[in-house]
Amino acid sequence: MEIRNLGSSGLKISAISYGNWLTHGSQVEEDAATACVRQALDEGITTFDTADVYANTAAETVLGKALAGERREGLEIFTKVFWPTGPGRHNDHGLSRKHILEAIDGSLRRLGTDYVDLYQAHRYDHETPLEETMEAFADVVRSGKALYIGVSEWRAEEIRAAHALARELRIPLVSNQPQYSMLWRVIEAEVVPTSEELGIGQVVWSPIAQGVLTGKYQPGQPHPEGSRATDEKGGANMISRWLRDDVLERVQRLQPIAADAGLSMAQLAVAWVLQNPNVSSAIIGASRPEQVTDNVKAAGVTLDADVLAAIDEVVGPVVERDPAKTQSPPRRDF
């Protein structure tokens, strides 16, 4: 397993990290989820990402049980705060001081640990002063409940403002967690240059575009039974944007590129995001241990310039690049 620094910080993480957004506590049974975590550990993954909102807190519990007994110093455990949890009452979401300080205690209890390595703002909160949010995060760090702070799906100007406050408060804001893949490149124009300037690393999610870049979805054909596209609880709404025939036809044209590189389609997709020097880690998910084994083979792969150019030529017309697509929702969407 390739090991990289998280941004310009001293924290070292695995280039492939394991996330349980759509699986643990909802899509797959706990035994299967645990088997995937155990396989990730066997493959050299040391970085595990979750959030309190995943399966309404159940995902943190499942991950905590799966990691129980492991040497804590050998793991990097990430979680997030923002979205509604519990009954979803008026203070059960957002980035207020009240919610952050209550949420971290709940996350630690479910994960079975005294601290998380990275505590992330899952979205930007337009209804809480950024100063209040960052001061609360500073208290979390100073209490020893989190070692580093990160954000997720924040715009460049939001990252810059938070970083300035973090410097004043003397706490380490080191990462952003955006969606990023061959098909979804909205961070490249603004977020990545800003992050490079500030020493912030990307921990990217959905590098396989919710499974579309595996090539299993065929243009003009029914979606495979049991796939994410057929599972309303497993992300069917998110994957739908990629299920147009024009996208699927171009994804199929990636097959010979992957074969020539000696990679599966999933490996090519994960390896592609890891070529970006601002990407510290790519998050993979799995419902079966063999998926973990396949994906980790992307770690340490170098794609030649001609391979990258060939990929761009194939998918270029269907790539989403608009930086305005990185946008936290207004509170009324809760």
Side-chain angles (χ1 to χ4, degrees):
M1 175 56 61
E2 180 188 2
I3 302 298
R4 298 182 173 190
N5 282 66
L6 180 50
S8 61
S9 78
L11 179 63
K12 299 185 186 306
I13 62 176
S14 51
I16 307 289
S17 44
Y18 184 86
N20 68 351
W21 167 36
L22 288 174
T23 51
H24 298 189
S26 56
Q27 192 179 38
V28 301
E29 297 297 325
E30 184 170 337
D31 287 349
T34 299
C36 290
V37 172
R38 304 311 306 177
Q39 190 64 38
L41 290 164
D42 288 346
E43 298 290 350
I45 291 176
T46 60
T47 306
F48 294 85
D49 179 80
T50 188
D52 58 5
V53 71
Y54 296 166
N56 196 18
T57 74
E60 287 184 325
T61 300
V62 172
L63 181 61
K65 290 180 180 178
L67 293 175
E70 290 296 312
R71 178 176 175 268
R72 180 63 184 88
E73 294 82 355
L75 302 173
E76 304 86 46
I77 300 176
F78 301 172
T79 194
K80 312 180 198 73
V81 58
F82 174 81
W83 294 107
T85 56
R89 296 295 297 273
H90 51 277
N91 279 314
D92 290 340
H93 49 67
L95 297 178
S96 68
R97 178 178 181 82
K98 176 177 173 62
H99 185 54
I100 288 173
L101 297 184
E102 292 174 347
I104 186 62
D105 288 340
S107 289
L108 295 180
R109 182 176 62 254
R110 290 184 291 270
L111 288 165
T113 183
D114 294 330
Y115 69 95
V116 291
D117 297 271
L118 182 69
Y119 199 38
Q120 302 160 95
H122 210 159
R123 290 295 187 273
Y124 188 87
D125 188 347
H126 297 282
E127 296 192 357
T128 299
L130 183 57
E131 292 81 0
E132 176 182 340
T133 294
M134 297 307 296
E135 287 168 2
F137 276 133
D139 285 344
V140 170
V141 170
R142 291 180 186 128
S143 69
K145 296 177 181 179
L147 304 184
Y148 299 85
I149 296 300
V151 300
S152 177
E153 293 290 353
W154 284 31
R155 292 186 174 193
E157 61 269 25
E158 296 163 350
I159 292 172
R160 186 177 296 280
H163 185 267
L165 286 170
R167 291 289 297 271
E168 290 179 17
L169 293 163
R170 303 181 69 82
I171 57 171
L173 175 61
V174 299
S175 67
N176 178 47
Q177 187 174 132
Q179 181 178 181
Y180 187 49
S181 71
M182 292 179 193
L183 298 175
W184 187 265
R185 307 190 193 183
V186 303
I187 64 171
E188 290 182 343
E190 298 176 2
V191 168
V192 166
T194 297
S195 297
E196 288 175 334
E197 175 192 341
L198 301 177
I200 288 172
Q202 310 300 317
V203 179
V204 304
W205 59 274
S206 201
I208 310 174
Q210 290 93 55
V212 167
L213 288 171
T214 65
K216 67 182 177 182
Y217 297 100
Q218 302 284 333
Q221 300 296 316
H223 305 319
E225 185 176 349
S227 67
R228 184 167 294 176
T230 64
D231 184 356
E232 292 301 323
K233 293 183 178 180
N237 60 326
M238 289 202 66
I239 197 175
S240 61
R241 65 177 152 218
W242 303 125
L243 298 179
R244 308 190 317 263
D245 279 356
D246 61 331
V247 175
L248 299 180
E249 287 166 0
R250 289 187 174 274
V251 169
Q252 292 303 311
R253 289 165 56 185
L254 294 172
Q255 294 273 10
I257 298 175
D260 287 347
L263 301 169
S264 70
M265 289 278 281
Q267 290 163 5
L268 181 70
V270 176
W272 184 89
V273 301
L274 291 174
Q275 305 309 294
N276 187 321
N278 192 229
V279 172
S280 298
S281 187
I283 302 172
I284 63 166
S287 56
R288 303 187 308 276
E290 56 267 28
Q291 293 172 324
V292 178
T293 299
D294 181 66
N295 289 342
V296 297
K297 293 176 182 177
V301 169
T302 299
L303 299 179
D304 294 337
D306 58 340
V307 174
L308 296 174
I311 291 170
D312 284 347
E313 183 177 357
V314 168
V315 300
V318 295
V319 168
E320 179 59 70
R321 301 179 185 273
D322 183 2
K325 298 287 186 178
T326 299
Q327 184 176 8
S328 292
R331 184 64 56 84
R332 62 178 179 270
D333 283 359
F334 290 173

